[in-house]
Amino acid sequence: MLESETSDPLGNYISHGALDLGRPAIDPSLLTVRGVNYLMYVTGDRGENAIYMVRLATPIEPVGEKSLIAEPTYAWEKGAGSTRNYPVN
């Protein structure tokens, strides 16, 4: 995670290291619902890509239980009809 030291996007940044989500994660997206911030992210360590969501106490601090939002369930998500068989959601 990077935190800007200024309002200039080309300015200096502070590195906070990786966000601890308890497992490797990629493709983060921020979502704000009724003033509450959430982080959605993809994991790939179960042999398939799954989408999770967790509430953020601060922009760099997840809080509470993570929720599984979606995982590959349909044949086409699992590579049916293609030469690829890695499940992707």
Side-chain angles (χ1 to χ4, degrees):
M1 297 173 297
L2 294 175
E3 178 183 6
S4 177
E5 291 185 318
T6 70
S7 60
D8 179 2
L10 299 177
N12 294 327
Y13 287 83
I14 300 168
S15 174
H16 292 280
L19 185 63
D20 183 11
L21 297 168
R23 63 190 325 160
I26 60 170
D27 299 338
S29 296
L30 296 174
L31 174 68
T32 302
V33 178
R34 296 187 179 125
V36 179
N37 294 319
Y38 297 89
L39 179 71
M40 295 181 296
Y41 57 94
V42 176
T43 63
D45 60 336
R46 300 179 350 176
E48 64 185 23
N49 286 358
I51 303 170
Y52 284 86
M53 189 165 140
V54 66
R55 183 175 178 187
L56 294 173
T58 69
I60 62 172
E61 181 184 1
V63 64
E65 294 295 316
K66 62 181 177 269
S67 297
L68 176 65
I69 301 300
E71 62 186 342
T73 55
Y74 298 103
W76 62 268
E77 292 175 307
K78 295 183 177 189
S82 77
T83 58
R84 302 187 187 271
N85 63 3
Y86 183 80
V88 175
N89 189 262

